[in-house]
Amino acid sequence: DNNAKAMALAEAWCGAAVGVSDFAAISVGTGVGGGIVSGGRLLDGHHGNAGHFGHIVVEPDGRACLCGGKGCVEAYCSGRAIGEERGRPPQRAPQGVVERTGILIGRALASLGAICDLNMAVVGGSVVLGFGEPFFVALQTELDQRARLSFLREFTVVPAALGQLAPLVGAAALVRRRLGSG
């Protein structure tokens, strides 16, 4: 499976989403991935790629993405994209890039929340956890401005409680899932 889906299972099992039956988990590191939990179950999709968040279009006619499309979240927010744009690691990104990353992820989450009837997202990964509070403030502000449907008004975003360990704990959660224990 992938790290973002593993993160979703980990955060549901023993992290920020314990007891939450419907949420998205977003991982922003080298790439941008996601997992969706609906009715307490991780969605897989036909090819196992449900929740592949990085390819939601946030800037029509925007930057070329490695997927062949244009304007995807990943083309702006991934560690790879930020590094190529700035010529330095994302950990050294200026405030404007940190805030833009939050805005674009908030924009995409508003759409995902409307499509999947979600009111929570757990966001982690090395890039955004390193950005800290300014990223999360920009994300929540954008989400609040765009998620205007009545069922989205309480949509909140929380940092991954398991931090950088979320994918590793998620690997254990995937094993539990396959064995029918979780």
Side-chain angles (χ1 to χ4, degrees):
D1 229 311
N2 69 49
N3 66 329
K5 287 173 61 184
M7 181 182 123
L9 286 176
E11 292 291 338
W13 179 27
C14 56
V18 170
V20 179
S21 62
D22 301 277
F23 71 96
I26 309 303
S27 178
V28 184
T30 303
V32 180
I36 300 170
V37 173
S38 180
R41 298 180 58 111
L42 180 68
L43 299 181
D44 285 315
H46 184 70
H47 296 287
N49 293 307
H52 205 31
F53 185 80
H55 300 289
I56 294 175
V57 175
V58 290
E59 292 288 352
D61 300 318
R63 290 186 192 156
C65 182
L66 293 175
C67 74
K70 287 186 174 184
C72 298
V73 171
E74 190 160 310
Y76 290 89
C77 301
S78 68
R80 178 181 20 250
I82 293 169
E84 288 175 3
E85 173 192 3
R86 305 305 302 179
R88 56 185 174 187
Q91 297 85 349
R92 294 180 48 217
Q95 187 72 19
V97 170
V98 170
E99 291 173 358
R100 180 193 69 199
T101 302
I103 289 167
L104 294 177
I105 291 181
R107 189 176 293 171
L109 276 174
S111 294
L112 183 65
I115 291 167
C116 296
D117 192 11
L118 303 172
N119 65 3
M120 180 182 175
V122 178
V123 180
S126 60
V127 171
V128 298
L129 291 177
F131 285 170
E133 188 172 345
F135 162 81
F136 285 97
V137 168
L139 190 166
Q140 189 68 56
T141 300
E142 183 72 9
L143 183 59
D144 291 347
Q145 290 175 359
R146 295 197 179 262
R148 305 306 298 166
L149 295 167
S150 61
F151 67 92
L152 293 175
R153 291 213 176 106
E154 301 300 317
F155 198 140
T156 58
V157 176
V158 296
L162 299 171
Q164 300 295 353
L165 293 177
L168 184 59
V169 173
L174 283 165
V175 171
R176 288 181 75 235
R177 178 181 182 220
R178 296 253 160 60
L179 295 176
S181 305

